Amino acid sequence: MRSSFSRQAWKRLQRNRGAMAGLGIIALAIFISITAYFLAPDPTPYASHMVLEISGQRPGFKVTMLAMQKEHPPARAGFFSRLLYGQESALTYVPIRSWQFAGNDIVVQRYVDEETSMPERYSLAKVWYGQQQPLGLPLATLQQQITKQRIVTNTYWLGTDRFGRDILSRLLVGTRVSLGVGCIAVIISLSLGVLLGAVAGYFRGWVDDAVMWLINVIWSVPTLLLVFAITLALGKGFWQVFIAVGLTMWVGVARIIRGQVMSLRELQFVEAARALGFGHLRIIIKHILPNIMGPVMVVAASNFASAIVVEAGLSFLGVGVQPPQPSWGLMIKENYNFIITHNPLLALAPGVAIMLMVLAFNLLGNGLRDAMDVRG
């Protein structure tokens, strides 16, 4: 019976174009968050490779780079290590306007800013090997290899921030933070909210009074202020934000679950379960909770969207995710001054990403509400 209802709910959800569009955006965001370091143009940890000379550039900015081997290149990371943390670059990138070979050296016009350049000379051995040593290749061959592999043109599709980091790369890696904080916050809020709401609605009496007193106390404190207090108590950081947001979102879940359980506990199937001698725990878990999964999924989608907004606000205010880890809210904070100057898209890009994610979860939540409406 439940399997049949699930199939019917899925068919109704598929007919909702808005919900399916939201689900598609969420699926795309999950894929991006998993493969971010393979998709990002800058695969270094936290996508934080800085080239200060090209800071604050517009979307589509192109620049030629001389890629020089580091003297002590980092070890090559394995597949899973790179998937989770990225790969430290073995090259140092120098922006240049022009270049030419001069014997065993390469002479470049180094890019300083849009109007200024300065000449610099590097030995081919230092460019290729990372240190001064006899050339291991014939001069002509080495020049050809450097031309092919070490003179590259980088395109910054969404521009660069004030530290010269690629906005697109940080936007992709920052997807992990938004989805992560939403996922952990929903798990924490559902765990506490379903537990306390079900207990209060089923047992009523003094248990209900105690739970409702706690809910009203938490509810009376502004959400952002409560998040500030928890964050300051736990400290600033990645996991602290997850816990802080989750601990402030269980109240709404508990109120909804309490009302649903109170309406179900008087129905005949619950009375029949009591008459058969089933315990309270079994009745709540096996008979009541499965019948309120619709409202639970709807409120989970809503809490996911709220968690993304709260995390962005915390990072913008400086008490959330800390640099250099990318976060959409932190990216807005670092680049909002460009809105009133010459390059507003640097701050608008993460803002649009937040808007799309919140819209996707709200559309999915509305679709789930309609699809799982038993009366429909």
Side-chain angles (χ1 to χ4, degrees):
M1 186 71 174
R2 176 160 181 80
S3 175
S4 176
F5 173 74
S6 300
R7 286 196 296 269
Q8 293 175 8
W10 172 243
K11 290 180 180 179
R12 287 194 292 268
L13 184 66
Q14 286 180 307
R15 291 195 293 267
N16 190 322
R17 294 183 179 180
M20 294 309 295
L23 186 61
I25 294 175
I26 294 169
L28 178 62
I30 293 173
F31 174 76
I32 289 174
S33 66
I34 294 174
T35 61
Y37 283 115
F38 292 99
L39 299 175
D42 177 11
T44 59
Y46 302 137
S48 60
H49 180 72
M50 300 186 207
V51 184
L52 296 177
E53 293 90 343
I54 58 172
S55 61
Q57 295 295 334
R58 293 178 178 276
F61 173 73
K62 293 185 178 182
V63 64
T64 303
M65 296 280 194
L66 172 63
M68 302 174 57
Q69 181 73 30
K70 291 182 178 178
E71 185 173 355
H72 301 290
R76 184 169 180 81
F79 174 79
F80 289 104
S81 178
R82 186 182 174 191
L83 183 72
L84 295 175
Y85 308 110
Q87 170 67 60
E88 189 70 39
S89 177
L91 303 172
T92 300
Y93 290 90
V94 177
I96 60 177
R97 293 187 183 274
S98 61
W99 55 274
Q100 62 180 359
F101 292 111
N104 291 338
D105 297 335
I106 181 172
V107 180
V108 302
Q109 290 293 326
R110 180 165 184 161
Y111 182 103
V112 177
D113 56 38
E114 295 179 356
E115 299 179 353
T116 310
S117 60
M118 58 183 296
E120 289 188 352
R121 177 184 290 263
Y122 302 99
S123 71
L124 299 183
K126 186 170 182 60
V127 172
W128 189 253
Y129 301 110
Q131 55 187 336
Q132 297 291 350
Q133 65 180 51
L135 299 181
L137 295 173
L139 180 61
T141 303
L142 185 56
Q143 290 177 348
Q144 186 179 18
Q145 291 296 327
I146 289 177
T147 302
K148 289 182 178 180
Q149 300 182 28
R150 298 300 172 83
I151 306 293
V152 297
T153 300
N154 289 349
T155 302
Y156 296 89
W157 298 106
L158 292 182
T160 59
D161 64 10
R162 62 194 182 101
F163 298 108
R165 298 174 297 193
D166 182 30
I167 291 289
L168 176 58
S169 299
R170 292 182 64 77
L171 198 68
L172 295 176
V173 178
T175 308
R176 291 185 172 187
V177 174
S178 293
L179 289 183
V181 71
C183 183
I184 300 299
V186 165
I187 291 174
I188 294 176
S189 64
L190 288 184
S191 300
L192 290 175
V194 170
L195 173 64
L196 295 178
V199 169
Y202 183 82
F203 291 104
R204 298 195 296 186
W206 69 269
V207 176
D208 186 27
D209 294 338
V211 173
M212 286 305 299
W213 175 85
L214 179 62
I215 289 175
N216 290 330
V217 170
I218 301 297
W219 198 280
S220 65
V221 182
T223 301
L224 200 58
L225 184 61
L226 187 59
V227 172
F228 278 160
I230 297 175
T231 303
L232 293 176
L234 298 177
K236 301 178 183 179
F238 186 67
W239 293 104
Q240 289 87 332
V241 174
F242 290 3
I243 298 173
V245 175
L247 290 178
T248 59
M249 304 186 71
W250 65 269
V251 181
V253 180
R255 290 172 65 94
I256 293 174
I257 298 302
R258 171 181 175 270
Q260 294 289 324
V261 172
M262 289 184 70
S263 63
L264 289 178
R265 72 184 301 275
E266 305 298 337
L267 297 183
Q268 292 180 349
F269 75 92
V270 177
E271 294 292 338
R274 290 199 191 99
L276 290 172
F278 293 154
H280 298 309
L281 184 62
R282 172 166 179 164
I283 293 174
I284 292 175
I285 295 177
K286 294 287 187 179
H287 301 278
I288 294 181
L289 290 185
N291 286 281
I292 60 174
M293 288 308 296
V296 169
M297 294 182 68
V298 173
V299 76
S302 176
N303 281 357
F304 213 117
S306 301
I308 292 173
V309 175
V310 172
E311 182 278 324
L314 288 174
S315 297
F316 181 83
L317 296 173
V319 295
V321 174
Q322 299 299 300
Q325 187 166 14
S327 162
W328 291 345
L330 185 60
M331 291 174 65
I332 296 177
K333 176 188 177 182
E334 293 174 343
N335 301 303
Y336 75 93
N337 58 318
F338 289 109
I339 294 178
I340 58 175
T341 55
H342 65 290
N343 201 352
L345 191 60
L346 299 185
L348 293 180
V352 170
I354 294 172
M355 181 195 72
L356 286 176
M357 286 301 300
V358 172
L359 177 63
F361 278 103
N362 284 332
L363 289 174
L364 180 60
N366 293 336
L368 288 173
R369 179 197 61 202
D370 297 336
M372 304 190 74
D373 185 1
V374 178
R375 292 169 296 181

